[in-house]
Amino acid sequence: MKRFFSIIAALMVGCAIWAQDVLTVVYATSDDGFVNVRKNPSMKAPVLTKLYMFSHGLGQGVLRGKSGNWCKVSVGKTTGWAYRKYVGEQTWYEGNGQPKLVATKASTPIYTDNYKDGGNDVLFTTVSKGTILADTFREDGQYYVLATAHDNLYIKKTDAKIVP
């Protein structure tokens, strides 16, 4: 029996680690259009920044982990905790056996559309080497593109690889 629980615990840890290796974009789902990102997972913790709703169909932050009723999220250069009830998720990796796009640099930059001048050089976030970015993507010049209905994330081809 003890061995059974050890195996279950190991599988749970493995799943938690796996979940952190997949790029998941997050956004607020609250009625007021944002959720506070706090220093610690507590309603009494200081507010560091806000996570807003979709902008052009794209979430505004990146999921870094989950713990109980809280999500660890990064918004720009700030990382903190948001109340899970008001956080929606957007993940491009479905795990359906298709070729997948994987980050190859120690700190792989991901960019968003720049609506002011049409460039693709606005930093959205960075992810660690080995993070699965998507299994639905397209090529656009020197970039791989993850597309929503209204927006795109761009990863330079030199910063990612396609894994069968």
Side-chain angles (χ1 to χ4, degrees), residues 11-25:
L11 286 172
M12 288 173 66
V13 168
C15 288
I17 290 169
W18 175 254
Q20 292 175 355
D21 291 336
V22 177
L23 175 68
T24 301
V25 177

Side-chain angles (χ1 to χ4, degrees), residues 13-69:
V13 168
C15 288
I17 290 169
W18 175 254
Q20 292 175 355
D21 291 336
V22 177
L23 175 68
T24 301
V25 177
V26 291
Y27 54 92
T29 60
S30 62
D31 290 338
D32 51 5
F34 68 90
V35 61
N36 288 323
V37 177
R38 299 179 178 274
K39 185 174 182 178
N40 300 303
S42 165
M43 292 293 197
K44 295 180 180 179
V47 175
L48 301 174
T49 190
K50 295 181 184 328
L51 174 67
Y52 291 96
M53 299 178 86
F54 278 130
S55 174
H56 300 283
L58 184 66
Q60 299 296 299
V62 177
L63 182 67
R64 300 295 183 190
K66 295 179 183 177
S67 180
N69 290 330

Side-chain angles (χ1 to χ4, degrees), residues 18 21-22 101-106 108 127-133:
W18 175 254
D21 291 336
V22 177
L101 190 60
V102 179
T104 58
K105 294 176 76 174
T108 297
V127 295
S128 58
K129 184 176 182 179
T131 299
I132 298 171
L133 302 166

Side-chain angles (χ1 to χ4, degrees), residues 82-103:
Y83 195 63
R84 195 168 173 179
K85 178 180 177 181
Y86 301 113
V87 176
E89 299 179 6
Q90 188 180 45
T91 303
W92 285 275
Y93 178 69
E94 297 176 11
N96 61 6
Q98 298 296 316
K100 52 190 172 279
L101 190 60
V102 179

Side-chain angles (χ1 to χ4, degrees), residues 75-162:
V75 180
K77 294 183 180 183
T78 303
T79 299
W81 295 87
Y83 195 63
R84 195 168 173 179
K85 178 180 177 181
Y86 301 113
V87 176
E89 299 179 6
Q90 188 180 45
T91 303
W92 285 275
Y93 178 69
E94 297 176 11
N96 61 6
Q98 298 296 316
K100 52 190 172 279
L101 190 60
V102 179
T104 58
K105 294 176 76 174
S107 186
T108 297
I110 299 174
Y111 306 93
T112 63
D113 276 339
N114 179 345
Y115 286 96
K116 292 180 183 173
D117 64 10
N120 302 323
D121 57 354
V122 178
L123 184 66
F124 174 70
T125 191
T126 58
V127 295
S128 58
K129 184 176 182 179
T131 299
I132 298 171
L133 302 166
D135 56 5
T136 303
F137 56 92
R138 64 181 168 81
E139 294 185 39
D140 183 6
Q142 63 180 339
Y143 296 94
Y144 292 115
V145 183
L146 315 181
T148 68
H150 304 285
D151 211 335
N152 301 290
L153 290 180
Y154 290 81
I155 299 95
K156 287 184 180 176
K157 287 184 178 178
T158 55
D159 296 341
K161 66 180 177 180
I162 298 173

